[in-house]
Amino acid sequence: MRQYNADLTPSWKKPKAVPEVPAEPGLVLEEPGTGFCGAVIRCEAGTVTLEDRFGKHRVFPLQPGGFLLEGRTVTLVRAAAGPARPARTASGSVAVPGARARVARAGRIYVEGRHDAELVERVWGDDLRIEGVVVEYLEGVDDLPAVVAEFAPGPDARLGVLVDHLVPGAKEWRIAESVTGEHALVVGHPYIDVWEAVKPSSVGIAAWPRIPHGQDWKKGVCRSLGWPENTGAAWQHILSRVRSYKDLEPELLGRVEQLIDFVTEAGV
């Protein structure tokens, strides 16, 4: 009698194939055994290191079906080495190996606070050093007219200023209008604080929470997200998740690029 080895198992009972996913930096995964959720920061032979939203690192073995990606079971594999590409800076510019920092220009870019300055340095630092542009920070915009008057911008010393929450009709808008001129440019983004200019997905949250008017915005964000009310530590966590321009909202990207172009215009 002829023997048949046909698999008579119904299709709905057969185990589904688990897709393989390259361990690209920044990919957010969950390890189901521990519930640890974080972004890939490195993948070495046999292991992957994840970083959660508090900056904590965990190392896990690369096992078949060992992770969840958006709720789906996946097998994480090392990303294949692609063809060599020109190295790029965090801002997306082509890197210039061995380039020395240019002697600082007379022109400057001012930002509102330390966090703004650190974020600009994080993404545009390499570009700014090559261009010789120094970034300094103010403590708010109320004194901006006096600062601009003291700086005395001119053809050889342009001044660019980045302002938070620059929306028509706001106090910041009126101040910006009063000092903007041929050699001074004030631009801004619509966010209450530069924290919001970092994409929520990069920080590992669904969205930046809305904080009622009158409350301290940063502390309110920490409370809403269940973070300790240490705004300095919270900012360092946020900043650590910014690896390139891709982690920032376009409303900030465009304004910073505009200021760099303004103060480095040919002949300045």
Side-chain angles (χ1 to χ4, degrees):
M1 183 175 180
R2 184 175 294 179
Q3 298 291 322
Y4 291 94
N5 294 319
D7 185 355
L8 300 180
T9 304
S11 60
W12 56 271
K13 283 189 176 182
K14 294 180 180 180
K16 295 182 179 179
V18 177
E20 292 188 346
V21 176
E24 299 285 356
L27 183 69
V28 178
L29 301 159
E30 179 183 348
E31 199 286 314
T34 61
F36 188 89
C37 183
V40 173
I41 60 171
R42 74 176 64 88
C43 185
E44 300 168 329
T47 65
V48 63
T49 303
L50 304 183
E51 180 186 62
D52 72 4
R53 65 190 181 95
F54 297 109
K56 183 179 179 180
H57 292 184
R58 290 283 297 273
V59 180
F60 297 100
L62 294 178
Q63 296 179 340
F67 297 91
L68 298 178
L69 174 62
E70 298 179 348
R72 297 183 303 114
T73 299
V74 298
T75 296
L76 199 63
V77 296
R78 294 185 70 182
R85 297 180 180 178
R88 294 187 176 272
T89 66
S91 71
S93 301
V94 176
V96 183
R100 294 184 178 182
R102 174 174 171 166
V103 175
R105 296 171 182 264
R108 292 287 188 275
I109 291 177
Y110 284 178
V111 296
E112 272 206 65
R114 181 171 58 85
H115 292 180
D116 305 67
E118 290 176 342
L119 187 59
V120 170
E121 164 62 26
R122 182 87 167 191
V123 176
W124 289 274
D126 291 338
D127 308 62
L128 292 168
R129 279 183 284 278
I130 290 177
E131 295 290 350
V133 177
V134 175
V135 175
E136 301 181 14
Y137 65 87
L138 311 163
E139 290 295 343
V141 298
D142 290 345
D143 296 328
L144 185 56
V147 170
V148 174
E150 181 179 357
F151 185 86
D156 298 321
R158 287 188 166 189
L159 178 62
V161 183
L162 179 69
V163 177
D164 295 341
H165 199 227
L166 190 63
V167 295
K171 175 190 70 175
E172 294 85 356
W173 180 273
R174 295 191 295 271
I175 293 174
E177 290 285 293
S178 71
V179 300
T180 294
E182 182 181 1
H183 305 300
L185 176 63
V186 182
V187 299
H189 55 75
Y191 306 111
I192 294 173
D193 190 273
V194 77
W195 288 20
E196 280 191 297
V198 179
K199 291 180 178 178
S201 57
S202 296
V203 186
I205 59 177
W208 288 105
R210 294 185 178 277
I211 307 303
H213 184 70
Q215 292 187 20
D216 183 288
W217 188 84
K218 292 177 180 177
K219 290 184 178 179
V221 166
C222 291
R223 284 194 296 269
S224 296
L225 295 177
W227 297 351
E229 287 187 37
N230 182 334
T231 57
W235 168 244
Q236 289 307 311
H237 164 65
I238 295 167
L239 186 63
S240 72
R241 305 307 296 270
V242 177
R243 296 173 176 84
S244 77
Y245 71 97
K246 296 179 182 179
D247 296 305
L248 302 182
E249 299 288 0
E251 289 84 354
L252 176 67
L253 292 172
R255 300 295 74 76
V256 175
E257 297 284 353
Q258 184 180 1
L259 291 178
I260 294 174
D261 289 344
F262 179 76
V263 299
T264 60
E265 187 175 302
V268 178

